[in-house]
């Protein structure tokens, strides 16, 4: 069957190890403002578990998926990248390797002196095969993100430092860098064309003109990088993915910053980081929009974030394509004090429940809290970055269990 599929798709026989679904059953699609699955509305509550890709024991991934499914979470976002890099520039950029999920022998691409090598081995894409197979078996959908704006797990600047970039945003414009990224994208996308477990391919996690001022390459000076830079890149890469794979949706992975034509004093609404949410949502080959919310990091309030959700609901209605509230979180008191030296009178339920209510009010297509917390893994608890919501926590009864039931009513 694999060889027959490869012939039908014009791909090498080894490109896809997954069965062929000629009727495309089980694939989520966009239809107007809604997502649909097998002809029925598919409003969903989901989560993020980037670490599915990296933790050593695949049984831990299986257990975590079971726990997510038992809680009614149907879509999980995870990383489809991890760069093993031996090439550095003065200062050691990009700086990474101390990420929250801990040390891992799993990687998907290695770099040495400007030459990338895709890892098809047992600790490479064959390992990701197992993650996808588990999702198929358990009836979960995976958003697979293909690179990172930030230094964690390598991301964009590994391409940059290996291929002669001086600035972070050259990732979006350098022909050499884009060609290397497309090569990696093709290897991953064509491998899973036939798997209904893939919810969507995502161009990048939080693409911006700039990144971390300490661990990443700097942003180019002036207005060299702007909203057109990232919009044009997203248009090119989304079109490329669709040329490879007609089964799956494509999303950008942006944080949802607006670029209001009348301008704004609020950086989240004036395109300052190169993100134009409405322009990205209008792109022909982008199936749905994404936005994130971290008022702790962004120096915003919980009330501001509620309006942020409503504004993205308005864009969904205006443009007529689905929008997903893809990442959101509120720090625990301990982590807020540790990271920011601040305290807040708002509990996590006080902060987040109004955001979820706004999502339901505007009938956004989906939401995915950051991030999934599971206990009882072989090494203990899953990683906790201060935003993690453990499924057995008291707050989960409201923000997961009750919320899941409310979302399910949208499908009736």
């Amino acid at each position: 069957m694999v060889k027959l599929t490869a012939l039908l798709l014009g791909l090498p026989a080894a490109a896809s190890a997954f069965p062929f679904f000629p009727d495309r059953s089980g694939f989520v699609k966009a239809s107007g403002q809604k997502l649909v699955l097998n002809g029925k509305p598919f409003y969903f509550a989901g989560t993020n578990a980037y670490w599915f890709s990296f933790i050593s024991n695949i049984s831990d991934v299986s257990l975590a998926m079971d726990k997510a499914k038992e809680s009614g979470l149907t879509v999980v976002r995870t990383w489809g990248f991890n760069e093993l890099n031996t090439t550095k520039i003065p200062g050691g950029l990009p700086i990474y390797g101390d990420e929250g999920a801990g040390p891992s022998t799993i990687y998907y691409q290695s770099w040495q002196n400007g030459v990338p090598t895709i890892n098809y081995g047992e600790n490479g894409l064959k390992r990701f095969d197992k993650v996808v197979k588990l999702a198929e078996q358990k009836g979960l959908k995976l958003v697979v993100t293909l690179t990172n704006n930030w230094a964690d797990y390598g991301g964009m600047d590994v391409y940059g430092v290996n291929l002669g970039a001086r600035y972070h945003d050259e990732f979006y414009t350098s022909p050499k860098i884009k060609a290397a990224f497309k090569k990696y994208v093709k290897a991953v996308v064509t491998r899973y064309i036939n798997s209904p477990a893939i919810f969507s391919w995502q161009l990048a996690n939080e693409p911006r003109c700039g990144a971390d001022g300490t661990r990443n390459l700097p942003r180019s000076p002036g207005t060299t990088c702007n909203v057109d830079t990232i919009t044009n890149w997203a248009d090119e890469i989304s079109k490329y993915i669709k040329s490879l794979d007609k089964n799956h949706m494509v999303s950008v992975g942006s944080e949802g910053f607006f670029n209001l034509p009348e301008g704004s004093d609020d950086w989240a609404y004036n395109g300052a980081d190169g993100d134009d949410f409405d322009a990205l949502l209008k792109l022909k080959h982008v199936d749905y929009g994404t936005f994130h919310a971290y008022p702790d990091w962004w120096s915003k309030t919980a009330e501001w974030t509620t309006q942020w959700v409503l504004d993205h609901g308005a864009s969904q209605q205006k443009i007529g394509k689905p929008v997903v509230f893809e990442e959101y979180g509120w720090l625990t008191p301990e982590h807020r004090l540790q990271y920011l030296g601040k305290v807040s009178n708002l509990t996590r339920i006080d902060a987040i429940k109004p955001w979820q209510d706004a999502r339901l009010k505007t009938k956004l297509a989906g939401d995915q809290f950051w991030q999934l917390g599971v206990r009882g893994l072989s090494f203990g608890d899953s990683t906790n970055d201060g935003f993690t919501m453990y499924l057995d926590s008291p707050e989960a009864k409201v923000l997961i269990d009750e919320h899941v039931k409310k979302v399910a009513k949208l499908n009736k």
Side-chain angles (χ1 to χ4, degrees):
M1 185 62 72
V2 172
K3 291 183 179 179
L4 173 61
T5 304
L7 288 172
L8 289 170
L9 294 170
L11 299 170
S16 176
F18 288 77
F20 184 42
F21 296 83
D23 61 356
R24 295 185 180 178
S25 61
F27 295 93
V28 181
K29 299 292 182 182
S31 178
Q33 296 180 39
K34 297 179 181 179
L35 297 171
V36 295
L37 176 61
N38 298 329
K40 298 179 180 179
F42 186 71
Y43 291 97
F44 71 88
T47 187
N48 289 263
Y50 72 89
W51 42 271
F52 277 5
S53 302
F54 313 128
I55 56 175
S56 300
N57 189 340
I58 195 67
S59 297
D60 287 329
V61 179
S62 181
L63 176 61
M65 285 187 178
D66 286 339
K67 295 293 186 182
K69 186 73 181 293
E70 289 169 8
S71 296
L73 304 169
T74 53
V75 179
V76 181
R77 180 168 171 255
T78 195
W79 289 175
F81 63 91
N82 189 14
E83 311 286 342
L84 180 65
N85 180 38
T86 63
T87 308
K88 304 288 184 182
I89 64 170
L93 299 178
I95 300 171
Y96 68 103
D98 190 27
E99 289 81 5
S104 176
T105 60
I106 298 162
Y107 67 95
Y108 301 121
Q109 185 167 237
S110 62
W111 291 81
Q112 187 168 13
N113 299 324
V115 179
T117 302
I118 296 168
N119 182 7
Y120 292 98
E122 295 296 333
N123 65 336
L125 290 179
K126 284 186 180 179
R127 169 55 161 68
F128 200 69
D129 291 348
K130 295 177 182 179
V131 175
V132 176
K133 288 283 190 184
L134 282 173
E136 283 186 357
Q137 293 165 8
K138 299 172 189 298
L140 288 175
K141 303 294 183 185
L142 299 174
V143 177
V144 180
T145 306
L146 295 166
T147 192
N148 199 0
N149 186 72
W150 313 103
D152 303 271
Y153 300 100
M156 297 178 182
D157 283 352
V158 168
Y159 290 83
V161 300
N162 276 278
L163 298 173
R166 295 175 58 198
Y167 301 110
H168 175 77
D169 48 277
E170 288 181 70
F171 183 84
Y172 308 116
T173 59
S174 164
K176 187 186 299 186
I177 292 174
K178 288 191 290 183
F181 182 54
K182 286 179 180 179
K183 182 179 179 181
Y184 179 74
V185 166
K186 183 176 182 180
V188 177
V189 168
T190 56
R191 194 173 182 89
Y192 307 108
I193 283 175
N194 302 312
S195 174
I198 304 299
F199 180 84
S200 74
W201 300 115
Q202 188 161 96
L203 308 190
N205 175 51
E206 303 182 335
R208 293 189 186 190
C209 285
D212 186 308
T214 302
R215 300 194 300 152
N216 285 94
L217 293 175
R219 177 177 177 167
S220 59
T223 58
T224 302
C225 184
N226 52 50
V227 293
D228 291 336
T229 306
I230 292 180
T231 301
N232 290 339
W233 170 81
D235 188 36
E236 178 181 348
I237 303 301
S238 61
K239 182 179 180 180
Y240 178 69
I241 293 176
K242 287 290 189 177
S243 76
L244 300 172
D245 181 0
K246 299 295 192 295
N247 285 338
H248 296 109
M249 298 188 295
V250 172
S251 57
V252 176
S254 75
E255 293 158 282
F257 302 133
F258 290 100
N259 182 38
L260 299 182
E262 66 273 21
S264 174
D265 293 332
D266 188 332
W267 61 268
Y269 285 80
N270 66 17
D273 284 306
D275 195 351
D276 185 335
F277 177 76
D278 286 356
L280 292 170
L281 185 57
K282 290 176 182 177
L283 292 176
K284 178 180 179 180
H285 302 288
V286 170
D287 293 285
Y288 68 93
T290 63
F291 71 103
H292 302 174
Y294 293 103
D296 289 299
W297 290 152
W298 297 355
S299 299
K300 302 294 186 182
T301 64
E303 293 78 14
W304 179 95
T305 307
T306 301
Q307 186 60 49
W308 178 247
V309 178
L310 294 172
D311 289 343
H312 286 85
S315 284
Q316 175 177 277
Q317 296 171 6
K318 176 178 65 177
I319 296 171
K321 293 171 76 172
V323 172
V324 173
F325 190 11
E326 184 182 69
E327 285 189 34
Y328 58 92
W330 185 255
L331 282 171
T332 64
E334 298 81 9
H335 283 88
R336 181 175 295 104
L337 192 60
Q338 177 187 346
Y339 296 157
L340 303 174
K342 297 179 180 179
V343 297
S344 172
N345 293 326
L346 296 180
T347 67
R348 191 170 268 178
I349 293 175
D350 292 336
I352 291 179
K353 188 176 181 299
W355 309 347
Q356 292 181 334
D357 290 344
R359 174 259 151 126
L360 294 166
K361 178 181 179 181
T362 56
K363 291 190 175 180
L364 288 171
D367 70 87
Q368 298 170 262
F369 68 88
W370 182 280
Q371 64 172 322
L372 178 66
V374 179
R375 304 192 194 278
L377 301 179
S378 64
F379 55 86
D381 297 345
S382 63
T383 181
N384 184 2
D385 61 358
F387 294 103
T388 301
M389 199 182 315
Y390 288 97
L391 296 176
D392 63 352
S393 64
E395 63 203 14
K397 295 186 185 334
V398 175
L399 300 178
I400 299 177
D401 300 345
E402 293 179 12
H403 180 61
V404 161
K405 292 175 183 176
K406 293 175 182 177
V407 172
K409 290 181 180 180
L410 297 176
N411 290 315
K412 295 179 180 179

